Amino acid sequence: IGQYEKMGGGVIFGAENFCWPDASLKEKYPEVKQGGYRFLNSGGFIGSIKAIREMLAAGGELKNTDDDQLFYTRLFLDPETRAKFKIQLDHKAEIFQNLNGVEDEIDLEFEGDSPYFFNMNFKT
């Protein structure tokens, strides 16, 4: 929770290097000025219940057969919606470390008996 608050709250999604599931949206993503993962990954996100409920309502119907990552991507790519809900991406894996395609960037470390992933690029 401390890192969430340090990042300014809002709704924070994990990020990755792959623009999936619709690569045609790649150019619509904001540039990442100081490096980091550019594209939304909906596998992990955090925010207040109120903000997430309102964000979901703003996005319209999300059916069980719909792609949730595309749903959230469309919300993020809409500048008005992004500002309203303070949607941001965890570009440097400070909260969420997505694993797809980053095998050479992470290391499995231990604190006592507790394992965790360490991102060697961002020291997170």
Side-chain angles (χ1 to χ4, degrees):
I1 298 298
Q3 188 60 41
Y4 168 77
E5 291 171 348
K6 184 178 174 183
M7 293 175 71
V11 178
I12 303 174
F13 284 87
E16 63 184 349
N17 285 326
F18 305 101
C19 186
W20 186 90
D22 186 348
S24 72
L25 298 174
K26 181 178 182 176
E27 297 308 316
K28 295 184 179 191
Y29 270 84
E31 290 292 329
V32 179
K33 293 184 173 107
Q34 297 186 10
Y37 305 124
R38 182 176 177 194
F39 306 107
L40 183 143
N41 179 294
S42 66
F45 60 95
I46 186 172
S48 71
I49 290 173
K50 180 180 186 293
I52 291 173
R53 282 185 177 159
E54 289 176 4
M55 180 185 70
L56 287 169
E61 186 177 3
L62 176 61
K63 298 177 187 167
N64 195 38
T65 56
D66 291 341
D67 188 297
D68 68 310
Q69 187 149 309
L70 184 57
F71 176 85
Y72 293 120
T73 294
R74 288 181 176 142
L75 290 171
F76 175 74
L77 293 178
D78 177 350
E80 187 175 305
T81 302
R82 185 168 61 239
K84 179 178 181 180
F85 298 107
K86 294 176 54 178
I87 302 172
Q88 57 182 315
L89 303 184
D90 182 10
H91 297 291
K92 295 191 175 179
E94 295 175 282
I95 299 174
F96 302 106
Q97 176 61 68
N98 293 299
L99 301 177
N100 186 28
V102 296
E103 294 82 8
D104 294 335
E105 300 174 17
I106 59 172
D107 193 27
L108 180 63
E109 298 190 358
F110 291 84
E111 188 170 310
D113 291 334
S114 300
Y116 65 95
F117 286 109
F118 179 75
N119 185 302
M120 296 178 286
N121 287 348
F122 307 120
K123 309 295 185 229
T124 58

